[in-house]
C-alpha cells in the first residue's frame, strides 16, 4: 500500500493502480497543472486589463485636475475684479454685474433642465 499526500495533506491510497509506477499520479498532476496554467493565464489577462484601466483613469484624473486648476484661476480673477468693484463707488455697475450673473445662471439652469 502506497500513501501519497494530495491537496490538504490527506493521504490518498493507491487502490490497485500499479501501471508503471506513478503514471496515474503523473496524469493527475498534468491535469492539475493544466488547470492551474489556465487560471494563471486568466489572472494575467485580468491584471493587464486592470492596469490599462488604471492608466486611463489616471489620465482622466490628470485632465480633470488641469480643468479645475484653470477654472479656479478664472474664478480667482473674477473674484478679484468683484472685490475691486466693491471697494469703489461703482455700486450701480456692481448691481448690473450681479444681475448679469443671475441671468447667466438662470439661462444655464434652463438649458440643463431642457436636456
Amino acid at each position: 500500500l502506497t500513501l501519497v499526500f494530495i491537496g490538504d495533506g490527506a493521504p490518498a491510497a493507491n487502490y490497485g493502480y500499479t501501471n508503471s509506477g506513478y503514471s496515474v499520479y503523473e496524469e493527475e498532476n498534468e491535469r492539475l497543472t493544466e488547470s492551474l496554467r489556465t487560471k494563471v493565464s486568466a489572472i494575467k489577462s485580468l491584471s493587464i486589463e486592470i492596469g490599462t484601466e488604471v492608466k486611463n483613469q489616471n489620465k482622466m484624473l490628470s485632465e480633470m485636475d488641469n480643468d479645475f486648476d484653470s477654472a479656479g484661476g478664472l474664478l480667482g480673477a473674477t473674484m478679484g475684479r468683484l472685490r475691486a468693484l466693491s471697494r469703489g463707488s461703482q455700486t450701480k455697475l456692481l448691481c448690473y454685474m450681479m444681475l448679469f450673473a443671475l441671468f447667466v445662471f438662470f439661462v444655464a439652469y434652463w438649458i440643463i433642465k431642457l436636456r
Side-chain angles (χ1 to χ4, degrees):
L1 182 67
T2 303
L3 293 177
V4 177
F5 289 94
I6 298 175
D8 294 283
N14 185 1
Y15 296 108
Y17 296 119
T18 56
N19 318 1
S20 69
Y22 293 104
S23 67
V24 174
Y25 297 115
E26 288 175 7
E27 290 173 9
E28 179 69 14
N29 280 342
E30 287 298 321
R31 187 183 64 78
L32 291 174
T33 302
E34 186 59 36
S35 173
L36 184 61
R37 187 175 293 125
T38 304
K39 290 175 184 176
V40 166
S41 175
I43 289 173
K44 179 183 175 184
S45 65
L46 184 63
S47 65
I48 289 172
E49 289 176 14
I50 288 172
T52 303
E53 184 65 25
V54 166
K55 287 177 186 174
N56 290 337
Q57 294 293 326
N58 281 339
K59 181 181 175 188
M60 189 184 306
L61 284 174
S62 176
E63 290 172 359
M64 284 179 61
D65 186 39
N66 291 339
D67 290 343
F68 279 118
D69 283 344
S70 65
L74 183 62
L75 185 60
T78 303
M79 290 304 293
R81 289 185 191 119
L82 282 175
R83 273 192 226 107
L85 284 175
S86 67
R87 284 190 208 123
S89 61
Q90 303 169 349
T91 56
K92 193 175 191 180
L93 186 58
L94 180 62
C95 283
Y96 287 140
M97 293 271 299
M98 294 303 255
L99 288 174
F100 177 73
L102 283 173
F103 173 75
V104 169
F105 173 75
F106 283 118
V107 167
Y109 176 77
W110 181 68
I111 290 173
I112 291 172
K113 187 129 177 135
L114 285 179
R115 285 186 170 195

